[in-house]
Amino acid sequence: MKAIVLIMDGLGDLPNAKGQTPLSAASKPNMDELAGQGQAGLYSSIARGVIPGSDTSHLNIFGYDYREYYPGRGPLEALGAGIELKPGDIAFRANFASVKGGKIIDRRAGRLPTATSRKLARYVEKSRIDGVTVQFMNTVEHRGVLLFRGKGLGAEVSGTDPHVLGPLGVSKPLAPGAKNKKTADVLNKFTKSAMKKLEGAGETRGSRVPANAIIARGAGAYAVVPSMEDRYRISAACVGGGALYKGVAKYVGMDVLEVEGATGDKKTNLKAKADAAAAALKDHDYVFVHVKATDNFSHDGNFGGKKEIIEKVDELLVSKLMEEEAVFVITGDHSTPVERRSHSGHPTPLLISGRGVRKDTVSRFDEMACMSGGLCHVVGTGLMDIVLNEMNKAKMIGT
Ligand SMILES: [Zn+2]
């Protein structure tokens, strides 16, 4: 059996005053039908009550224990941006930002349009500092990736992005050793030189929030890990838009498909994703489909928006993929309650449906109904074990 694993980012939520969550309030006949045909439960991607990041949670979803395999956010973003990494490379997440008098006044430079940041990136894209090749690549809007390639670099350094408005950060080693100090020095020198180069750039000069700096965070060193094919003897593909998710998928050896209109945001083309996933299933055993917009609406505190995107996913994506001969898994990587506008440690609803899957009594897919499902509470890398078992690809332990 093959598997389709649909992750709606930040899917889980908390009931509002009417006792409804975006998922329970949504009209989603196809997800409910799948829940009725198969088994439901709850999923905590790291541990019960622990708040997962989207990076660590996805590693665990694919069965890669984040405590062993997490390389830091930077390398995952870089892989997702299509940058080929070499072992030992140090990568950061980076943003265009607005700095005035040494202080960050806008961490996103007014959410720079992608076309503008692409033009600006040309001013700073490649340099050589202390024998290290430094490369900046813009991705979506103000975001980008900063890559250091050279000898003797460490990844245990703080970034220059303080995550809040105020003084521009200065990178410092977080552990002893010349390697970490070298990385911090190169980052600080790059930050200064980028500011000089961007000062002369015309694209946003005169703006109230000029893109005149690049701030970096999430340093990590890249290393090669065994692929899903190596570990599970299955071929896997990824259909997603967001760089991070494509990066995690690439890191674990999936074929990352470029899907026209899969943007990793609210405007994503769900129909194109459904078509791409159905096509990928022809020559892959495991197809990971990622939808980011649920999480975006949660971070905006938008209950109605989250409900509507769930309805669209049901109508345009689930309806098509449920026709495929495959184990169908639907869950989230974590909860992002709209009321909190941030990730939480609550479990997210989970369903597994398909030929041969035992049927329980749950016939609705939402946070409350799933509590009484036959899968009970699945935790961490255990989800991959369950999926492999339903695919009849699990390995026996012992003899
Ligand atoms: Zn997430």
Side-chain angles (χ1 to χ4, degrees):
M1 278 294 269
K2 297 189 171 194
I4 300 164
V5 179
L6 168 60
I7 304 295
M8 282 186 276
D9 211 283
L11 175 66
D13 216 297
L14 296 173
N16 62 10
K18 290 184 196 158
Q20 286 182 323
T21 65
L23 183 62
S24 77
S27 163
K28 36 154 185 59
N30 299 306
M31 291 184 207
D32 289 341
E33 189 181 326
L34 287 171
Q37 289 166 358
Q39 269 187 73
L42 298 174
Y43 180 50
S44 291
S45 60
I46 290 187
R48 295 184 68 163
V50 173
I51 304 176
S54 286
D55 41 15
T56 48
S57 58
H58 276 80
L59 282 172
N60 274 11
I61 288 169
F62 304 139
Y64 287 71
D65 189 329
Y66 81 97
R67 290 168 293 191
E68 189 179 341
Y69 291 106
Y70 183 54
R73 180 86 174 226
L76 298 174
E77 292 273 350
L79 288 171
I83 299 172
E84 292 297 329
L85 294 181
K86 291 186 180 167
D89 283 354
I90 307 295
F92 300 81
R93 296 175 80 187
N95 278 8
F96 280 106
S98 309
V99 171
K100 203 173 177 185
K103 285 188 175 154
I104 298 171
I105 56 165
D106 189 324
R107 283 184 61 247
R108 302 181 180 91
R111 274 200 189 271
L112 213 55
T114 305
T116 313
S117 62
R118 192 176 302 134
K119 282 183 198 156
L120 284 169
R122 293 196 194 118
Y123 293 88
V124 287
E125 61 192 353
K126 211 145 197 191
S127 48
R128 209 163 157 81
I129 301 170
D130 297 346
V132 175
T133 303
V134 178
Q135 200 185 343
F136 174 80
M137 264 185 75
N138 73 296
T139 54
V140 178
E141 295 179 327
H142 52 280
R143 300 179 197 91
V145 169
L146 187 61
L147 175 69
F148 293 180
R149 180 169 291 164
K151 288 202 178 90
L153 294 169
E156 291 184 66
V157 298
S158 63
T160 50
D161 180 354
H163 295 265
V164 289
L165 301 184
L168 177 64
V170 176
S171 179
K172 293 191 182 88
L174 297 174
K179 288 183 170 187
N180 294 323
K181 188 176 176 307
K182 182 169 178 179
T183 302
D185 286 347
V186 172
L187 178 55
N188 291 327
K189 286 178 185 173
F190 168 79
T191 308
K192 274 193 192 139
S193 82
M195 282 184 77
K196 253 187 218 147
K197 289 174 187 168
L198 290 168
E199 202 60 64
E203 276 75 5
T204 62
R205 203 166 39 199
S207 160
R208 193 178 54 79
V209 281
N212 59 7
I214 290 173
I215 53 177
R217 65 193 194 280
Y222 175 67
V224 178
V225 301
S227 68
M228 287 177 82
E229 182 104 45
D230 294 337
R231 294 183 66 206
Y232 313 131
R233 303 276 160 234
I234 58 171
S235 57
C238 160
V239 174
L244 172 66
Y245 310 94
K246 296 202 284 199
V248 178
K250 196 161 183 199
Y251 181 64
V252 300
M254 286 189 206
D255 288 330
V256 178
L257 308 176
E258 284 308 322
V259 182
E260 185 85 35
T263 49
D265 63 16
K266 297 163 186 175
K267 287 174 271 174
T268 196
N269 185 342
L270 293 166
K271 202 178 161 300
K273 276 174 150 172
D275 291 341
L281 205 60
K282 289 194 172 53
D283 48 8
H284 295 87
D285 302 307
Y286 178 107
V287 177
F288 159 54
V289 184
H290 186 262
V291 173
K292 178 67 180 163
T294 31
D295 190 58
N296 293 345
F297 282 116
S298 288
H299 283 288
D300 294 344
N302 187 342
F303 186 104
K306 189 173 181 182
K307 172 178 161 284
E308 274 167 36
I309 190 73
I310 291 166
E311 289 173 342
K312 280 191 194 144
V313 169
D314 191 73
E315 184 194 332
L316 300 173
L317 208 148
V318 176
S319 64
K320 179 166 172 77
L321 294 181
M322 66 195 286
E323 290 168 9
E324 299 293 331
E325 177 69 20
V327 175
F328 202 157
V329 181
I330 304 180
T331 189
D333 53 343
H334 49 77
S335 288
T336 311
V338 287
E339 201 186 298
R340 294 193 183 187
R341 298 185 179 216
S342 62
H343 298 190
S344 80
H346 300 90
T348 184
L350 164 69
L351 76 77
I352 299 183
S353 189
R355 187 161 53 82
V357 174
R358 291 174 181 160
K359 185 173 159 18
D360 63 15
T361 55
V362 175
S363 58
R364 278 183 64 81
F365 184 57
D366 65 51
E367 292 84 345
M368 286 69 77
C370 286
M371 285 180 190
S372 48
L375 287 166
C376 304
H377 198 141
V378 179
V379 174
T381 55
L383 179 61
M384 190 68 204
D385 291 328
I386 292 171
V387 175
L388 286 169
N389 187 47
E390 293 298 351
M391 295 170 76
N392 199 14
K393 295 278 187 187
K395 276 192 212 135
M396 184 164 62
I397 308 294
T399 52

